[in-house]
Amino acid sequence: MATADDLSKLLRLESRCFGSERFSRGVVEAFLNREDCFVLVAEKAGRVVGAGMCIYSTRSGEGRIASVAVDPAHRGEGIGGALLAACEARLRNRGVGEFQLEVETTNEPAVGLYLRHDYQLRGIVKDYYSKGRDAYIMSKPAFGGKKTKVKVS
């Protein structure tokens, strides 16, 4: 699990993955410091090559996977799937009953990852990221449930 000592590494990863749309320093610090949040990191040779940032509510039983970031130089190595599974396990251990996330409709690799991990499409939010850039709302029950295959085109 990431700590405040990982902040600069996480900010560099955010920049490599998301450019101008990266989480701000304050947002990453909040994920590191808040009781209802956590950040998991994937490392190779001492370098952070991926991170998963989550927030949850034990009261509502909902967990939000706010970000799964994988360094572009390490995509296709299974890091995103491993981070997603680790985030789900940690959320499940905190009593979360459902995982939720948003993903840009044009981000085919990420949409594919979530579908392979049994996330279901729940809706679309128009202009979520900016004008003309929509998001899929996806969710998955934390403890099994019906698996539905969804084709996204």
Side-chain angles (χ1 to χ4, degrees):
M1 192 153 83
T3 68
D5 293 339
D6 295 310
L7 179 61
S8 63
K9 294 175 187 177
L10 290 167
L11 292 173
R12 281 193 296 276
L13 179 67
E14 278 287 308
S15 185
R16 284 193 303 274
C17 293
F18 303 114
S20 64
E21 295 182 343
R22 66 190 174 272
F23 280 153
S24 69
R25 178 184 189 93
V27 168
V28 176
E29 286 175 331
F31 275 101
L32 289 168
N33 296 319
R34 284 178 49 162
E35 296 275 329
D36 61 347
C37 296
F38 62 85
V39 179
L40 301 179
V41 295
E43 294 183 297
K44 279 194 165 186
R47 182 169 171 245
V48 172
V49 296
M53 298 187 199
C54 300
I55 185 168
Y56 61 94
S57 168
T58 54
R59 189 170 8 137
S60 71
E62 295 174 352
R64 182 166 176 258
I65 299 172
S67 176
V68 175
V70 177
D71 188 310
H74 293 277
R75 290 181 183 159
E77 298 176 13
I79 295 168
L83 280 167
L84 182 60
C87 286
E88 290 175 353
R90 186 169 286 274
L91 287 167
R92 202 176 285 113
N93 288 338
R94 284 172 168 63
V96 166
E98 182 178 51
F99 312 131
Q100 300 174 1
L101 57 84
E102 298 83 31
V103 60
E104 190 166 359
T105 58
T106 59
N107 187 344
E108 292 177 13
V111 171
L113 171 69
Y114 301 133
L115 290 174
R116 284 191 304 279
H117 283 261
D118 299 321
Y119 280 78
Q120 297 179 4
L121 180 62
R122 297 295 183 202
I124 297 175
V125 178
K126 294 288 186 186
D127 303 327
Y128 182 85
Y129 292 98
S130 65
K131 186 164 177 55
R133 295 178 59 213
D134 304 336
Y136 288 131
I137 306 302
M138 301 181 83
S139 67
K140 173 183 172 178
F143 298 98
K146 184 179 175 190
K147 294 183 180 180
T148 304
K149 295 289 182 184
V150 177
K151 182 178 180 185
V152 179
S153 57

